[in-house]
Amino acid sequence: MSDDAVSASAKGATFMVLLQIGSRAITFALNQVLLRFLSPQLLGVAVQLELYIISTLYFSRESLRIATQRRSDGGVQAAINLSYLAIIAGMPVGALLAHLYLQSNYPDVPYLTTALRINELTAMVELLSEPAFVTVQQNMLYKTRAAAEATAVIMKTLATAGFVFWSRHKGYDIGVLPFAAGELAYSTSLTIVYLTQTVGVARLKGFTLMPKSMQASQPNQQYIFSLFSKPLLLLSASLYLQTGVKWLLTEGDKLLVSVFATLEDQGMYALSANYGGLIARMLFRPIEDSSRNLFARLCATSPPPSDHEKKSGSTTPPKTDKPANGNLTQAATILHNLLRFYSIASLIAFAIGPTAAPLLLQVVAGSRWTASGAGEVLATYCYCIPLLAINGVSEAFVSATASTAELQRQSIWMGAFSAGFALSAYVFLRVLEMGAKGLVLANCVNMALRIVFNLSFATGYFERQDVTFRLMDILPNVYAVGAATVVPSLLARTKGMLGQYGLLGELVTVGVVGGTFAAFIAVTERRFLLDCYRRFRA
């Protein structure tokens, strides 16, 4: 099972990454044209509306999504039944958040209230896809998920750009309605693709996408209203408080920037986060999602023997509540390799990113945005990208393996991390008055604190299972680290060397230095990289 799961996860993650890159390339080109028609202020309001949708979906489904990835007596059907609670929760959660937003001091932008109501509908449409999403995750149908998300992203971009271009052509000021139309197109497309692709799978494998009455096969597997697995439901409840704290840590930057920053600063931060997070959405997120599912399978405990098994005189070895040691070793190796790869890639991001980012922004977004200070914000964001990657995969391991008591402890620690995040944001934004750059740095503090907890948990988990997992082994070699400390000063010394060629000359200089540095890292880390390649191809 473990080898099949690893192979399916690797192939699925690869397919998702490739399809994400293809779809993002199309939307990236359209967005660059779109930026020429938008102001930082309007983009700042769009961030607030996007935060509403994210928050509604997060509080409605996140804890349920994590719980349904655990093993259950009822299999796929039990997980599908539980997913309907997200649909039920969506309407009151969305209505409450919309009411709170309208009670706040929201900006005076045309059609803002109408756009908010459209987003309220959008969230409900997307929640209708939850039973199909659970089916995709449980059956590791990564191609279906990649196709659904790619289609939705393309439709969102086309709808948003189409409304903007049409309103400009007609001379209408429709405010933020294009963004609302884009979100609705995204959710509708996502739901349609998910449902159409999973109906046949459900029929073939003997389950249904509709709620179905369940019967417990073991005394410890009970069902509430004959529908909802009691162990999964209790796990979801214990996770709900944690997801609230996690939302504050994950989306707190958008919340803080909407409170402390001007609309122009909000627009600059949104632009930087979108460009900086492009890698996270294309590469890190598919790996994080597939690895969470894989860790849950590899580290799953065997269920206790049933009464029938106890009474039968079977000579087969009894099942235990401990995962197989081979699976645990494989999980430790996968986690180690991912973290080591990310730490190596971090050197390139830290050394080259802050210099290259403002130049690339000037190419794709024009001088209007670079003159606003967005280039400096994006340069600072390069320090946050590697932390996002490491936190994502390490947190995926925690959510896939932690017990209910451990998840409750994590919630307490996340509360402490929230205080640290808020304090650092106050210092950077109000005391040091660093604006959007300060918010990026506060987010780096937030990620660093979470990474420390996640890695501490992983080390303790494998130690209790007598499996080797050493944190020092995930660090790059000393030669790569030494070169990374030299590259920024080398870039500073070579700045202006090809100044007669303008922006192109600066890009060539950074490209040559960066390419040489990347080649040096590849040589010094060749054994590890070749080993990863062989494992991936196996």
Side-chain angles (χ1 to χ4, degrees):
M1 183 278 296
S2 63
D3 290 337
D4 292 340
V6 172
S7 177
S9 295
K11 292 178 181 178
T14 303
F15 190 83
M16 287 173 66
V17 168
L18 293 177
L19 202 52
Q20 283 278 353
I21 291 175
S23 63
R24 296 289 176 181
I26 299 173
T27 59
F28 184 81
L30 282 174
N31 282 334
Q32 304 327 299
V33 179
L34 193 61
L35 279 175
R36 313 285 172 166
F37 297 92
L38 298 176
S39 65
Q41 291 83 358
L42 194 60
L43 193 58
V45 178
V47 171
Q48 296 182 8
L49 292 177
E50 184 184 29
L51 178 61
Y52 165 77
I53 293 181
I54 292 173
S55 303
T56 300
L57 295 175
Y58 198 90
F59 285 111
S60 300
R61 72 188 184 188
E62 186 65 17
S63 63
L64 295 167
R65 279 191 168 187
I66 296 174
T68 53
Q69 292 185 6
R70 301 294 182 95
R71 289 183 60 178
S72 171
D73 175 62
V76 179
Q77 191 62 56
I80 290 175
N81 287 357
L82 198 67
S83 69
Y84 274 87
L85 294 178
I87 302 175
I88 296 172
M91 187 169 293
V93 170
L96 175 62
L97 293 179
H99 175 74
L100 293 176
Y101 182 79
L102 293 176
Q103 294 300 311
S104 66
N105 187 24
Y106 59 89
D108 184 17
V109 176
Y111 299 104
L112 177 60
T113 305
T114 304
L116 180 64
R117 296 307 180 191
I118 294 175
N119 283 1
E120 197 171 349
L121 172 64
T122 296
M124 288 304 305
V125 171
E126 185 163 341
L127 286 172
L128 292 175
S129 68
E130 281 304 292
F133 176 85
V134 168
T135 300
V136 167
Q137 288 296 97
Q138 289 279 327
N139 292 279
M140 305 181 79
L141 304 175
Y142 295 114
K143 290 185 179 181
T144 300
R145 180 176 176 181
E149 292 186 357
T151 302
V153 168
I154 293 173
M155 293 304 297
K156 174 183 176 179
T157 306
L158 290 175
T160 305
F163 268 87
V164 170
F165 297 151
W166 174 81
S167 64
R168 288 300 178 117
H169 176 70
K170 294 293 185 179
Y172 298 150
D173 183 9
I174 57 176
V176 290
L177 280 181
F179 296 100
E183 295 290 354
L184 183 59
Y186 177 94
S187 296
T188 303
S189 304
L190 187 78
T191 301
I192 290 174
V193 175
Y194 266 143
L195 292 176
T196 55
Q197 292 294 313
T198 54
V199 167
V201 175
R203 188 183 302 114
L204 181 66
K205 296 195 173 184
F207 59 89
T208 175
L209 296 179
M210 298 299 293
K212 181 180 178 182
S213 179
M214 306 290 293
Q215 295 293 329
S217 61
Q218 297 178 12
N220 64 329
Q221 292 287 348
Q222 302 176 16
Y223 289 90
I224 299 176
F225 303 123
S226 298
L227 291 173
F228 307 117
S229 169
K230 187 175 180 179
L232 291 182
L233 195 59
L234 292 176
L235 178 62
S236 301
S238 66
L239 284 168
Y240 199 82
L241 176 61
Q242 183 197 21
T243 57
V245 180
K246 186 179 176 182
W247 171 87
L248 187 61
L249 292 171
T250 305
E251 306 298 335
D253 55 347
K254 297 176 183 177
L255 189 63
L256 288 172
V257 78
S258 66
V259 173
F260 293 129
T262 64
L263 280 179
E264 186 173 359
D265 281 338
Q266 292 181 46
M268 285 193 296
Y269 181 78
L271 183 75
S272 302
N274 283 334
Y275 280 128
L278 196 62
I279 298 176
R281 291 189 296 272
M282 290 192 305
L283 180 61
F284 301 150
R285 184 186 167 192
I287 294 175
E288 177 186 340
D289 289 341
S290 59
S291 64
R292 182 188 294 110
N293 199 13
L294 178 60
F295 290 142
R297 288 170 177 263
L298 292 176
C299 301
T301 57
S302 300
S306 62
D307 292 337
H308 174 72
E309 290 174 325
K310 291 178 181 177
K311 294 177 181 178
S312 64
S314 176
T315 58
T316 57
K319 297 179 180 179
T320 66
D321 60 352
K322 185 176 181 179
N325 190 266
N327 287 352
L328 287 172
T329 302
Q330 200 166 23
T333 301
I334 293 170
L335 181 60
H336 165 270
N337 288 346
L338 285 173
L339 292 174
R340 178 84 187 273
F341 181 80
Y342 283 161
S343 66
I344 293 171
S346 300
L347 296 179
I348 300 176
F350 290 154
I352 304 296
T355 303
L359 300 176
L360 294 174
L361 181 64
Q362 189 172 345
V363 172
V364 298
S367 57
R368 177 187 180 186
W369 283 91
T370 51
S372 68
E376 297 179 7
V377 179
L378 184 59
T380 308
Y381 203 88
C382 290
Y383 297 112
C384 192
I385 294 174
L387 299 178
L388 287 170
I390 295 173
N391 176 70
V393 70
S394 60
E395 205 162 74
F397 179 81
V398 175
S399 63
T401 59
S403 65
T404 301
E406 288 168 334
L407 289 171
Q408 290 172 349
R409 275 199 303 273
Q410 185 189 22
S411 299
I412 296 174
W413 277 105
M414 279 192 164
F417 298 159
S418 299
F421 177 43
L423 178 61
S424 60
Y426 176 81
V427 171
F428 289 129
L429 289 173
R430 286 296 177 89
V431 179
L432 301 179
E433 297 182 349
M434 296 180 66
K437 289 193 296 183
L439 190 59
V440 174
L441 293 176
N443 210 19
C444 290
V445 173
N446 165 29
M447 290 295 156
L449 291 173
R450 292 164 69 176
I451 289 170
V452 169
F453 175 87
N454 296 335
L455 296 183
S456 175
F457 173 86
T459 303
Y461 177 87
F462 288 118
E463 184 178 343
R464 291 192 300 272
Q465 305 290 346
D466 295 325
V467 175
T468 302
F469 183 79
R470 291 187 291 267
L471 288 181
M472 294 301 295
D473 290 345
I474 71 175
L475 299 177
N477 68 78
V478 66
Y479 302 106
V481 175
T485 61
V486 174
V487 168
S489 61
L490 182 60
L491 287 171
R493 288 177 179 273
T494 56
K495 184 178 181 180
M497 182 178 293
L498 300 177
Q500 65 270 29
Y501 298 103
L503 178 60
L504 179 60
E506 293 295 326
L507 286 171
V508 170
T509 302
V510 174
V512 170
V513 175
T516 304
F517 175 55
F520 177 80
I521 288 182
V523 171
T524 58
E525 294 284 357
R526 62 187 180 279
R527 291 184 180 178
F528 169 73
L529 296 176
L530 286 173
D531 181 63
C532 288
Y533 176 76
R534 284 192 291 266
R535 288 176 181 273
F536 180 78
R537 296 288 295 176

